[in-house]
Amino acid sequence: MSTRLYMLGLAALVACTSPLPAAGPDATPDPTAPTPSYDDDTDTRASSDRTLRFYYGPMKIMNGENALFSIGVFTGHDFGGWDYTTPEPTSEAFFDSGNAEGRYYRHCRQLGGCMEHRIPLGRTGFVNTGFVLQLERAVIEACNDTEAFGMFPGNEAPETTTAVDVLRHQYRAAFGALPTDEELELSSVYFEGHLEDPERSDMSALESAGRGHCRALLATNRFLFY
Amino acid sequence: MKLQRRLPRGSMLMIATVIAGAVGATAGAQGDQTLDGLVRSYMAERGAEPQLAPDSQLCRRYAIDLTGVIPSLRDLDACEGRTAGEMFDHFAAKGPMAHTDGERPYVWINLLKDADHFLFSNSTQFSQVGHIREFRDELRDVYANDASYAGFSRWALQSQMFLNRFPSGADRANASFFLFLGRDSLANEVPVGNMWNGWALRDRSIRASAAESNPDYHVYDYDASRCTSGRALCSATMWGTEGDTPEDVIELMVGSDLFLEATVNRYWERFLGEPLPGVDYPEIRRVLVRGFVAHDHDVNWLIREIATSSVYTQEMMYR
């Protein structure tokens, strides 16, 4: 990684010191120049500013809809549906629509707007404070749903499994890969501390720790970016 | 060719609108060049080779981009040891939003998802249920049956839902240009707005004088030499003439190079998270546009071409 970063910095330096293209956006077009077309491969417009653009794959952030459904898949929690023919879920007229609470609507709206919604102009397209707070609400709602066990191996309460089993399951399900040794160690420390002093008393200590760890994983950038 | 004749001749505006037929005729000539081949050649120029992402990372990328959710454990098992193409096929076969049991299929991935001019408004959602369902069925055809996206666009711009959602000619011009040509406001584009309302243009001098006094007025002149920004698309002349109808406007839009470029650019941005490289890599847009035309405006081909190329399948920078 350090070599890559060095190369990237080098490329940026080269780009900064490279001469600017001769023709900028405001340059007057030459009326005698031939019109480029798609059957013409002799295009000379390509500038020399070819940086390390293609050295890495894309890195994107999940939109609200992807994040909510992914949290739902990971935890087994149901955020409620959204009927795109329903204009306002909080309206009394739509109490029978299956989403009278408007949970999905509120989450999705704050997370950047979802498909089939009326989305606010100037909606959030980046991770701002409102986004983080709303994501936290969604994660807490899903991980603390006592009827959802998707965050545990076998999709059931962790009675015969161990903390390591839960950890490995959660890492793979959330990030697609098993934890590294360092991650496993850090998460194990969390589990050990939580098992000694469980957050909740209405479930086993391991389940309580697993739900707390669920919240931690889903609130990371690693989960949100892909 | 009918439309080409309609364009004003001898105009001071630089007219280089190429109708779809002309592009299509040349599309197959050099259509064997692939996006992946291009990207690899760019990297080879710098003595580099693509570094593919680990299976787990690429599997997650495909899952979220193609189905809208993170992969299940079963998906992750299926991805192990697979090629990028096989992973793509695995998730593409599931279909977008498959986890919702078909309740919300095919819609999320469409070009309109990130558009601010949203078709499903608060007011139209309630009263236009039938039209919205019709719209969704048409869109489903584009993804499920490889129907032509150009054909869908023609239909959409004349659909009752679109016309109801955007009642004025100016609104329709704004929305349609944004959605299908990737351009923002058309506030000054009165002729197009008028045509969309079915009004004939009555005074050509309005257009000419406006163009002369306002340099921003004719931003849709197609002048490839101005395409210096990666984000800005090449613009195209969209002038109609007296007697043009809304159908003529639609044909002018869907038949233009700008339509092809905007479509390619939107899908590129959708999957790569950044605009298609502009002046630095004009070959990319050319190859994708050619292929898109050669494959009869099949967005499934376009998606696969982008998502199985090295530009998509390499390792993420921060991981």
Side-chain angles (χ1 to χ4, degrees), chain A residues 16-63:
Chain A
C16 288
T17 54
S18 298
L20 292 172
D26 297 328
T28 305
D30 180 4
T32 62
T35 303
S37 65
Y38 286 109
D39 56 357
D40 177 14
D41 263 346
T42 59
D43 194 316
T44 58
R45 289 176 295 141
S47 81
S48 59
D49 183 21
R50 296 195 174 211
T51 58
L52 300 180
R53 184 187 286 271
F54 299 112
Y55 272 56
Y56 299 98
M59 184 177 70
K60 297 169 287 186
I61 185 173
M62 288 188 200
N63 59 32

Short mmCIF file of all heavy atoms in Angstrom, two decimals, chain A residues 16-63:
data_model
loop_
_atom_site.label_atom_id
_atom_site.label_comp_id
_atom_site.label_asym_id
_atom_site.label_seq_id
_atom_site.Cartn_x
_atom_site.Cartn_y
_atom_site.Cartn_z
N CYS A 16 0.82 18.11 -11.59
CA CYS A 16 0.84 19.53 -11.26
C CYS A 16 1.88 20.28 -12.08
O CYS A 16 1.73 21.46 -12.37
CB CYS A 16 1.15 19.73 -9.78
SG CYS A 16 -0.22 19.28 -8.73
N THR A 17 2.96 19.60 -12.43
CA THR A 17 4.02 20.28 -13.15
C THR A 17 3.91 20.12 -14.65
O THR A 17 4.71 20.66 -15.40
CB THR A 17 5.39 19.73 -12.70
OG1 THR A 17 5.37 18.32 -12.87
CG2 THR A 17 5.64 20.06 -11.24
N SER A 18 2.91 19.38 -15.11
CA SER A 18 2.75 19.19 -16.55
C SER A 18 2.18 20.45 -17.17
O SER A 18 1.43 21.18 -16.55
CB SER A 18 1.78 18.02 -16.82
OG SER A 18 2.31 16.84 -16.30
N PRO A 19 2.57 20.75 -18.41
CA PRO A 19 2.01 21.93 -19.08
C PRO A 19 0.52 21.76 -19.28
O PRO A 19 0.02 20.66 -19.48
CB PRO A 19 2.75 21.95 -20.41
CG PRO A 19 3.24 20.55 -20.61
CD PRO A 19 3.50 20.00 -19.25
N LEU A 20 -0.19 22.88 -19.20
CA LEU A 20 -1.64 22.82 -19.39
C LEU A 20 -1.96 22.52 -20.84
O LEU A 20 -1.18 22.84 -21.74
CB LEU A 20 -2.25 24.16 -18.99
CG LEU A 20 -2.17 24.50 -17.50
CD1 LEU A 20 -2.62 25.94 -17.28
CD2 LEU A 20 -3.03 23.55 -16.70
N PRO A 21 -3.11 21.94 -21.08
CA PRO A 21 -3.52 21.71 -22.47
C PRO A 21 -3.59 23.04 -23.22
O PRO A 21 -3.91 24.08 -22.63
CB PRO A 21 -4.90 21.07 -22.34
CG PRO A 21 -4.96 20.55 -20.95
CD PRO A 21 -4.07 21.41 -20.12
N ALA A 22 -3.29 22.99 -24.48
CA ALA A 22 -3.25 24.21 -25.26
C ALA A 22 -4.61 24.87 -25.35
O ALA A 22 -4.74 26.09 -25.29
CB ALA A 22 -2.73 23.90 -26.66
N ALA A 23 -5.65 24.05 -25.49
CA ALA A 23 -6.98 24.61 -25.66
C ALA A 23 -7.82 24.36 -24.43
O ALA A 23 -8.04 23.22 -24.05
CB ALA A 23 -7.66 24.01 -26.88
N GLY A 24 -8.28 25.41 -23.78
CA GLY A 24 -9.14 25.26 -22.62
C GLY A 24 -10.59 25.31 -23.03
O GLY A 24 -10.90 25.44 -24.22
N PRO A 25 -11.49 25.25 -22.06
CA PRO A 25 -12.91 25.23 -22.38
C PRO A 25 -13.39 26.52 -23.03
O PRO A 25 -14.38 26.53 -23.75
CB PRO A 25 -13.57 25.02 -21.02
CG PRO A 25 -12.53 25.34 -20.00
CD PRO A 25 -11.22 25.08 -20.63
N ASP A 26 -12.64 27.63 -22.79
CA ASP A 26 -13.09 28.89 -23.36
C ASP A 26 -12.42 29.21 -24.70
O ASP A 26 -12.66 30.26 -25.27
CB ASP A 26 -12.80 30.02 -22.38
CG ASP A 26 -13.58 29.83 -21.08
OD1 ASP A 26 -14.69 29.27 -21.16
OD2 ASP A 26 -13.08 30.21 -20.03
N ALA A 27 -11.55 28.30 -25.12
CA ALA A 27 -10.86 28.58 -26.36
C ALA A 27 -11.83 28.63 -27.54
O ALA A 27 -12.81 27.89 -27.58
CB ALA A 27 -9.80 27.52 -26.61
N THR A 28 -11.57 29.50 -28.46
CA THR A 28 -12.45 29.60 -29.63
C THR A 28 -12.21 28.41 -30.55
O THR A 28 -11.08 28.14 -30.95
CB THR A 28 -12.13 30.89 -30.40
OG1 THR A 28 -12.24 31.98 -29.51
CG2 THR A 28 -13.09 31.06 -31.56
N PRO A 29 -13.26 27.66 -30.87
CA PRO A 29 -13.07 26.50 -31.73
C PRO A 29 -12.68 26.92 -33.14
O PRO A 29 -13.12 27.96 -33.63
CB PRO A 29 -14.44 25.82 -31.70
CG PRO A 29 -15.38 26.88 -31.28
CD PRO A 29 -14.63 27.83 -30.43
N ASP A 30 -11.86 26.11 -33.73
CA ASP A 30 -11.43 26.37 -35.10
C ASP A 30 -12.55 25.96 -36.05
O ASP A 30 -12.88 24.77 -36.14
CB ASP A 30 -10.16 25.57 -35.38
CG ASP A 30 -9.67 25.79 -36.80
OD1 ASP A 30 -10.29 26.62 -37.51
OD2 ASP A 30 -8.70 25.13 -37.19
N PRO A 31 -13.16 26.90 -36.75
CA PRO A 31 -14.29 26.55 -37.62
C PRO A 31 -13.90 25.66 -38.79
O PRO A 31 -14.75 25.01 -39.39
CB PRO A 31 -14.79 27.92 -38.11
CG PRO A 31 -13.64 28.84 -37.93
CD PRO A 31 -12.85 28.32 -36.77
N THR A 32 -12.60 25.63 -39.09
CA THR A 32 -12.18 24.81 -40.23
C THR A 32 -11.83 23.39 -39.81
O THR A 32 -11.56 22.54 -40.65
CB THR A 32 -10.95 25.44 -40.91
OG1 THR A 32 -9.87 25.45 -39.95
CG2 THR A 32 -11.26 26.85 -41.39
N ALA A 33 -11.78 23.16 -38.49
CA ALA A 33 -11.40 21.83 -38.02
C ALA A 33 -12.48 20.81 -38.36
O ALA A 33 -13.68 21.13 -38.31
CB ALA A 33 -11.19 21.86 -36.51
N PRO A 34 -12.08 19.60 -38.74
CA PRO A 34 -13.09 18.58 -39.05
C PRO A 34 -13.86 18.19 -37.80
O PRO A 34 -13.33 18.23 -36.70
CB PRO A 34 -12.25 17.41 -39.57
CG PRO A 34 -10.90 17.61 -38.97
CD PRO A 34 -10.71 19.10 -38.89
N THR A 35 -15.09 17.86 -37.97
CA THR A 35 -15.93 17.47 -36.85
C THR A 35 -15.65 16.02 -36.47
O THR A 35 -15.80 15.13 -37.31
CB THR A 35 -17.41 17.60 -37.23
OG1 THR A 35 -17.63 18.94 -37.63
CG2 THR A 35 -18.28 17.25 -36.04
N PRO A 36 -15.22 15.78 -35.24
CA PRO A 36 -14.97 14.39 -34.83
C PRO A 36 -16.26 13.57 -34.83
O PRO A 36 -17.33 14.09 -34.58
CB PRO A 36 -14.44 14.54 -33.41
CG PRO A 36 -14.04 15.96 -33.26
CD PRO A 36 -14.94 16.72 -34.17
N SER A 37 -16.14 12.35 -35.15
CA SER A 37 -17.31 11.48 -35.11
C SER A 37 -16.86 10.11 -34.61
O SER A 37 -15.67 9.86 -34.43
CB SER A 37 -17.95 11.37 -36.48
OG SER A 37 -17.06 10.72 -37.36
N TYR A 38 -17.80 9.24 -34.41
CA TYR A 38 -17.47 7.96 -33.82
C TYR A 38 -16.82 6.99 -34.78
O TYR A 38 -16.38 5.93 -34.40
CB TYR A 38 -18.72 7.34 -33.20
CG TYR A 38 -19.09 8.05 -31.95
CD1 TYR A 38 -20.21 8.86 -31.88
CD2 TYR A 38 -18.27 7.97 -30.84
CE1 TYR A 38 -20.51 9.53 -30.74
CE2 TYR A 38 -18.56 8.65 -29.69
CZ TYR A 38 -19.68 9.43 -29.64
OH TYR A 38 -19.98 10.11 -28.50
N ASP A 39 -16.75 7.34 -36.04
CA ASP A 39 -16.02 6.46 -36.95
C ASP A 39 -14.63 7.04 -37.24
O ASP A 39 -13.99 6.68 -38.19
CB ASP A 39 -16.81 6.27 -38.25
CG ASP A 39 -17.12 7.60 -38.92
OD1 ASP A 39 -16.78 8.64 -38.33
OD2 ASP A 39 -17.70 7.58 -39.99
N ASP A 40 -14.22 7.97 -36.40
CA ASP A 40 -12.93 8.62 -36.61
C ASP A 40 -12.03 8.33 -35.43
O ASP A 40 -12.27 8.76 -34.31
CB ASP A 40 -13.15 10.13 -36.76
CG ASP A 40 -11.82 10.85 -36.92
OD1 ASP A 40 -10.82 10.17 -37.17
OD2 ASP A 40 -11.81 12.09 -36.79
N ASP A 41 -10.97 7.60 -35.66
CA ASP A 41 -10.06 7.24 -34.58
C ASP A 41 -8.85 8.15 -34.52
O ASP A 41 -7.91 7.89 -33.79
CB ASP A 41 -9.60 5.79 -34.74
CG ASP A 41 -10.44 4.87 -33.87
OD1 ASP A 41 -11.14 5.40 -32.99
OD2 ASP A 41 -10.40 3.66 -34.09
N THR A 42 -8.86 9.18 -35.30
CA THR A 42 -7.68 10.05 -35.35
C THR A 42 -7.87 11.27 -34.46
O THR A 42 -7.38 12.33 -34.74
CB THR A 42 -7.42 10.51 -36.79
OG1 THR A 42 -8.60 11.22 -37.24
CG2 THR A 42 -7.16 9.33 -37.69
N ASP A 43 -8.63 11.09 -33.41
CA ASP A 43 -8.88 12.19 -32.49
C ASP A 43 -7.58 12.60 -31.81
O ASP A 43 -6.88 11.79 -31.23
CB ASP A 43 -9.90 11.75 -31.45
CG ASP A 43 -10.45 12.92 -30.69
OD1 ASP A 43 -9.66 13.79 -30.31
OD2 ASP A 43 -11.67 12.97 -30.49
N THR A 44 -7.27 13.86 -31.89
CA THR A 44 -6.01 14.33 -31.30
C THR A 44 -6.26 15.13 -30.03
O THR A 44 -5.40 15.84 -29.57
CB THR A 44 -5.27 15.22 -32.31
OG1 THR A 44 -6.13 16.31 -32.68
CG2 THR A 44 -4.88 14.44 -33.53
N ARG A 45 -7.48 15.02 -29.48
CA ARG A 45 -7.81 15.83 -28.32
C ARG A 45 -7.24 15.29 -27.03
O ARG A 45 -7.22 15.97 -26.03
CB ARG A 45 -9.32 15.96 -28.18
CG ARG A 45 -9.96 16.84 -29.22
CD ARG A 45 -11.44 16.83 -29.06
NE ARG A 45 -12.01 15.51 -29.31
CZ ARG A 45 -12.99 14.98 -28.62
NH1 ARG A 45 -13.52 15.63 -27.64
NH2 ARG A 45 -13.45 13.79 -28.93
N ALA A 46 -6.79 14.06 -27.07
CA ALA A 46 -6.31 13.46 -25.83
C ALA A 46 -5.12 14.25 -25.29
O ALA A 46 -4.17 14.52 -26.01
CB ALA A 46 -5.90 12.02 -26.09
N SER A 47 -5.22 14.64 -24.05
CA SER A 47 -4.13 15.41 -23.47
C SER A 47 -3.09 14.43 -22.92
O SER A 47 -3.28 13.23 -22.90
CB SER A 47 -4.65 16.30 -22.35
OG SER A 47 -4.78 15.53 -21.18
N SER A 48 -1.99 15.00 -22.46
CA SER A 48 -0.93 14.14 -21.93
C SER A 48 -1.14 13.86 -20.45
O SER A 48 -0.34 13.20 -19.83
CB SER A 48 0.42 14.83 -22.14
OG SER A 48 0.40 16.08 -21.49
N ASP A 49 -2.21 14.39 -19.89
CA ASP A 49 -2.42 14.27 -18.47
C ASP A 49 -3.08 12.94 -18.13
O ASP A 49 -4.23 12.86 -17.75
CB ASP A 49 -3.29 15.43 -17.97
CG ASP A 49 -3.46 15.37 -16.47
OD1 ASP A 49 -2.61 14.73 -15.81
OD2 ASP A 49 -4.43 15.94 -15.97
N ARG A 50 -2.32 11.89 -18.28
CA ARG A 50 -2.86 10.56 -17.98
C ARG A 50 -2.27 10.12 -16.65
O ARG A 50 -1.16 9.62 -16.56
CB ARG A 50 -2.49 9.59 -19.09
CG ARG A 50 -3.12 9.97 -20.41
CD ARG A 50 -3.05 8.83 -21.39
NE ARG A 50 -3.78 9.17 -22.60
CZ ARG A 50 -4.41 8.29 -23.36
NH1 ARG A 50 -4.40 7.03 -23.05
NH2 ARG A 50 -5.03 8.67 -24.45
N THR A 51 -3.02 10.29 -15.63
CA THR A 51 -2.54 9.96 -14.29
C THR A 51 -2.82 8.49 -13.99
O THR A 51 -3.14 7.72 -14.88
CB THR A 51 -3.23 10.84 -13.25
OG1 THR A 51 -4.63 10.64 -13.37
CG2 THR A 51 -2.92 12.31 -13.50
N LEU A 52 -2.74 8.17 -12.74
CA LEU A 52 -2.93 6.77 -12.36
C LEU A 52 -4.41 6.45 -12.18
O LEU A 52 -4.80 5.81 -11.22
CB LEU A 52 -2.16 6.49 -11.07
CG LEU A 52 -0.66 6.73 -11.16
CD1 LEU A 52 0.00 6.41 -9.84
CD2 LEU A 52 -0.03 5.90 -12.26
N ARG A 53 -5.19 6.89 -13.10
CA ARG A 53 -6.63 6.78 -12.96
C ARG A 53 -7.10 5.34 -12.85
O ARG A 53 -7.99 5.02 -12.10
CB ARG A 53 -7.33 7.44 -14.15
CG ARG A 53 -8.83 7.45 -14.04
CD ARG A 53 -9.43 7.95 -15.31
NE ARG A 53 -9.29 9.38 -15.47
CZ ARG A 53 -10.17 10.26 -15.03
NH1 ARG A 53 -11.22 9.85 -14.37
NH2 ARG A 53 -10.01 11.54 -15.24
N PHE A 54 -6.47 4.45 -13.56
CA PHE A 54 -7.01 3.09 -13.63
C PHE A 54 -6.26 2.10 -12.75
O PHE A 54 -6.33 0.92 -12.97
CB PHE A 54 -7.00 2.60 -15.08
CG PHE A 54 -7.84 3.47 -15.98
CD1 PHE A 54 -7.26 4.25 -16.95
CD2 PHE A 54 -9.21 3.51 -15.82
CE1 PHE A 54 -8.04 5.04 -17.78
CE2 PHE A 54 -9.99 4.31 -16.63
CZ PHE A 54 -9.40 5.08 -17.61
N TYR A 55 -5.57 2.60 -11.76
CA TYR A 55 -4.78 1.70 -10.94
C TYR A 55 -5.61 1.02 -9.85
O TYR A 55 -5.18 0.06 -9.25
CB TYR A 55 -3.62 2.44 -10.28
CG TYR A 55 -2.39 2.46 -11.15
CD1 TYR A 55 -2.43 2.95 -12.44
CD2 TYR A 55 -1.18 1.96 -10.69
CE1 TYR A 55 -1.31 2.97 -13.24
CE2 TYR A 55 -0.05 1.96 -11.48
CZ TYR A 55 -0.12 2.48 -12.75
OH TYR A 55 0.99 2.48 -13.54
N TYR A 56 -6.78 1.56 -9.58
CA TYR A 56 -7.60 0.98 -8.53
C TYR A 56 -9.04 0.82 -9.00
O TYR A 56 -9.48 1.52 -9.90
CB TYR A 56 -7.59 1.88 -7.28
CG TYR A 56 -6.23 2.06 -6.70
CD1 TYR A 56 -5.48 3.20 -6.99
CD2 TYR A 56 -5.67 1.09 -5.88
CE1 TYR A 56 -4.21 3.36 -6.48
CE2 TYR A 56 -4.41 1.25 -5.35
CZ TYR A 56 -3.67 2.39 -5.65
OH TYR A 56 -2.42 2.55 -5.14
N GLY A 57 -9.72 -0.07 -8.32
CA GLY A 57 -11.14 -0.21 -8.61
C GLY A 57 -11.93 0.89 -7.93
O GLY A 57 -11.38 1.72 -7.22
N PRO A 58 -13.22 0.91 -8.15
CA PRO A 58 -14.04 1.99 -7.59
C PRO A 58 -14.22 1.84 -6.08
O PRO A 58 -14.11 0.75 -5.53
CB PRO A 58 -15.38 1.81 -8.30
CG PRO A 58 -15.43 0.36 -8.64
CD PRO A 58 -14.02 -0.04 -8.93
N MET A 59 -14.49 2.95 -5.44
CA MET A 59 -14.88 2.94 -4.04
C MET A 59 -16.10 3.84 -3.90
O MET A 59 -16.03 5.03 -4.18
CB MET A 59 -13.77 3.44 -3.14
CG MET A 59 -14.14 3.34 -1.66
SD MET A 59 -12.82 3.85 -0.56
CE MET A 59 -12.79 5.59 -0.86
N LYS A 60 -17.20 3.26 -3.51
CA LYS A 60 -18.46 4.02 -3.46
C LYS A 60 -19.10 3.84 -2.09
O LYS A 60 -18.79 2.92 -1.36
CB LYS A 60 -19.42 3.51 -4.54
CG LYS A 60 -18.89 3.71 -5.95
CD LYS A 60 -19.72 2.97 -6.96
CE LYS A 60 -19.46 1.49 -6.89
NZ LYS A 60 -20.13 0.72 -7.93
N ILE A 61 -20.02 4.74 -1.82
CA ILE A 61 -20.77 4.63 -0.57
C ILE A 61 -22.16 4.10 -0.89
O ILE A 61 -22.75 4.43 -1.92
CB ILE A 61 -20.86 6.00 0.14
CG1 ILE A 61 -21.54 5.86 1.49
CG2 ILE A 61 -21.56 7.03 -0.72
CD1 ILE A 61 -21.51 7.13 2.31
N MET A 62 -22.65 3.25 -0.04
CA MET A 62 -24.01 2.75 -0.25
C MET A 62 -25.00 3.91 -0.17
O MET A 62 -24.81 4.83 0.63
CB MET A 62 -24.40 1.76 0.86
CG MET A 62 -23.73 0.43 0.82
SD MET A 62 -24.53 -0.61 2.07
CE MET A 62 -23.29 -1.85 2.32
N ASN A 63 -26.01 3.87 -0.98
CA ASN A 63 -27.07 4.86 -0.81
C ASN A 63 -28.01 4.37 0.30
O ASN A 63 -27.84 3.28 0.86
CB ASN A 63 -27.81 5.11 -2.11
CG ASN A 63 -28.44 3.85 -2.65
OD1 ASN A 63 -28.83 2.98 -1.89
ND2 ASN A 63 -28.55 3.74 -3.96
#
